[in-house]
Amino acid sequence: MPHPSSRITGIIPSGKDGWEVHFLAMTRRQAGEDIIMLSVGDHDFDTPSETVEACVRAVRDGFHHYTQLPGIPKLRKAMADVSTRSTGCITDKDEIIATPGGQAALYAAVQAVLDPGGHAIVVAPYYATYPGTFRAAGAGFTVVETRAEDGFQPNVAAIEKAVEPNTRAILINTPNNPTGAVYTRKSLEGIAEICIRHDLWLLSDEVYWTLGGGEHISPRSLPGMAERTLVLNSMSKSHGMTGWRIGWVTGPTSLIRQLVSLNLVTTYGLTDFVSHAATEALENDYGVKEIAERYAARRTVFLDAVRGMNEVTVRGSAGGMYVMLDVRAVEPDCEKFAWAFLEKERVSVMPGISFGDAAKGHVRISLCQPEDILREAAERLRRFVSTHRSKAA
């Protein structure tokens, strides 16, 4: 057969994307094993019933047709209103383009600001799809690692040092997946100053903005940044709608207008009835407060359960849906730790290395399980670390 394009084969060059532990654990669980799944950020509860009923009504009311490429006007208006709240900047619907989920928003933003051969800077740990998204655009990137000992806050001096003549963008994520770190105003101001001085775009992934600890600060609100910031958002986490695939990009009107052309040749718009249900969910904040409270409570339960655990340290973990554990004192190789934990205690966690070298020696714990299961997982973890002996020790 003919060869596939290098564009496709180069997205994940090694063929290994860090999800191997999760996929095996899922297979074993589906076969009937008692495995606790803490390796994926998908809610263990259904979408709020109000949103579901809104979708049913939209189907019955005949919303079965093509939609406008940037998203139906009511949806974009609702997204703009949420963006006004989340970023602190008054936002018009013409500064919004709707996308099928947060990943499509990321893809659109990268395609919008980077040409083949261009360069970006990515602050790590990062969400696992970031590198592949840059490769799909034919762009290079430099990873700037944060330090666990600094609470995974960005190192502004290291970001400055990574700027190259062909650098066009910086990508950040706060509240952060996988660490749960919430970037401080000082960190964001330092990054903003670099963007302004070097005339760079800032891609700000804020899909966990409702699940942060304390005040959410969007770099779009900082002086001089609205014109050069693309904010990526999604209803997946905030509204309990992971499978509905609704996200959006907020940015300057002129760039958003150009992104409509990308939708023309990719998504060709969103699903009609889903768009109407999403509009109602955004306008009424269906589930937002309850979901945020649920994850805050789960974070507290799990952190209380692991407090005082020998040789395991919590890093970051102020927001989002995850807790990051430093397990280097138990097992320096986090992949080996994850495989052994699955085998001995039947708990699935994500190796930190899946999210970049900054998270080496860590594992990510998803809080997408009820509190009693999180307590049981913590008990299995305590038992595991008390008996595990690294072969490298």
Side-chain angles (χ1 to χ4, degrees):
M1 60 180 277
H3 292 294
S5 72
S6 59
R7 182 182 300 108
I8 294 298
T9 57
I11 292 176
I12 304 177
S14 67
K16 184 174 181 290
D17 59 8
W19 289 85
E20 291 78 15
V21 174
H22 170 73
F23 290 138
L24 178 62
M26 180 63 73
T27 299
R28 290 173 57 176
R29 180 177 172 82
Q30 290 172 345
E33 289 191 53
D34 172 27
I35 291 178
I36 297 177
M37 301 294 300
L38 303 182
S39 49
V40 67
D42 194 358
H43 305 297
D44 58 303
F45 48 85
D46 293 336
T47 298
S49 59
E50 299 93 335
T51 304
V52 175
E53 291 306 313
C55 188
V56 171
R57 286 196 303 274
V59 172
R60 288 175 174 160
D61 289 345
F63 292 106
H64 311 153
H65 303 282
Y66 289 129
T67 59
Q68 295 94 326
L69 290 176
I72 64 174
K74 283 186 63 177
L75 176 60
R76 294 167 69 208
K77 171 63 166 59
M79 289 173 168
D81 290 344
V82 169
S83 290
T84 296
R85 288 161 47 198
S86 68
T87 69
C89 296
I90 296 175
T91 306
D92 184 82
K93 68 178 178 60
D94 290 336
E95 296 173 288
I96 300 288
I97 188 165
T99 62
Q103 176 58 38
L106 171 65
Y107 180 84
V110 169
Q111 291 287 327
V113 304
L114 285 162
D115 288 314
H119 177 261
I121 296 168
V122 184
V123 177
Y126 48 71
Y127 180 52
T129 67
Y130 287 0
T133 305
F134 285 115
R135 295 188 194 106
F141 58 93
T142 297
V143 175
V144 174
E145 311 286 357
T146 59
R147 298 177 68 248
E149 291 76 12
D150 296 332
F152 294 112
Q153 288 294 317
N155 184 325
V156 175
I159 294 172
E160 173 78 45
K161 187 176 180 180
V163 175
E164 300 179 2
N166 63 335
T167 301
R168 296 293 177 266
I170 299 173
L171 172 58
I172 64 172
N173 171 212
T174 179
N176 183 260
N177 175 13
T179 67
V182 177
Y183 293 174
T184 64
R185 180 176 294 275
K186 181 180 179 180
S187 294
L188 294 172
E189 288 175 342
I191 294 171
E193 196 276 331
I194 293 172
C195 290
I196 292 170
R197 184 151 36 83
H198 293 281
D199 195 24
L200 306 178
W201 289 99
L202 181 60
L203 309 185
S204 182
D205 182 346
E206 302 179 24
V207 301
Y208 291 95
W209 77 276
T210 61
L211 303 179
E215 178 190 10
H216 171 70
I217 301 171
S218 171
R220 185 172 184 252
S221 66
L222 301 179
M225 289 304 293
E227 67 189 47
R228 63 180 65 256
T229 301
L230 297 181
V231 176
L232 318 176
N233 218 322
S234 165
M235 299 183 71
S236 293
K237 315 303 183 182
S238 57
H239 293 72
M241 297 174 66
T242 53
W244 296 65
R245 313 313 304 132
I246 294 286
W248 71 95
V249 180
T250 305
T253 301
S254 57
L255 187 70
I256 295 299
R257 190 177 299 120
Q258 294 294 323
L259 275 174
V260 175
S261 300
L262 184 65
N263 275 6
L264 174 67
V265 297
T266 53
T267 67
Y268 207 77
L270 299 182
T271 306
D272 197 4
F273 51 84
V274 172
S275 295
H276 284 80
T279 300
E280 186 172 324
L282 287 167
E283 291 174 342
N284 294 280
D285 284 338
Y286 289 153
V288 174
K289 182 175 182 289
E290 294 80 5
I291 291 170
E293 290 175 345
R294 182 175 301 189
Y295 281 109
R298 290 178 176 184
R299 187 179 304 108
T300 298
V301 162
F302 188 80
L303 292 179
D304 285 347
V306 300
R307 185 172 287 112
M309 191 175 296
N310 290 338
E311 301 180 317
V312 173
T313 304
V314 177
R315 303 291 190 184
S317 306
M321 296 162 53
Y322 311 101
V323 168
M324 185 68 93
L325 300 180
D326 185 338
V327 296
R328 286 175 288 185
V330 180
E331 168 59 72
D333 187 325
C334 58
E335 283 195 288
K336 287 183 179 178
F337 182 100
W339 284 115
F341 191 27
L342 174 62
E343 186 60 33
K344 293 183 180 179
E345 294 291 345
R346 300 184 305 283
V347 178
S348 172
V349 299
M350 281 293 285
I353 192 63
S354 303
F355 309 100
D357 286 346
K360 275 184 177 178
H362 294 71
V363 294
R364 188 191 75 172
I365 306 294
S366 168
L367 300 175
C368 297
Q369 293 291 342
E371 293 178 13
D372 59 333
I373 293 180
L374 291 174
R375 290 191 185 94
E376 171 62 22
E379 182 58 33
R380 295 188 192 187
L381 177 63
R382 188 179 298 275
R383 187 166 60 223
F384 176 76
V385 299
S386 70
T387 60
H388 182 75
R389 294 291 179 269
S390 170
K391 294 181 180 179

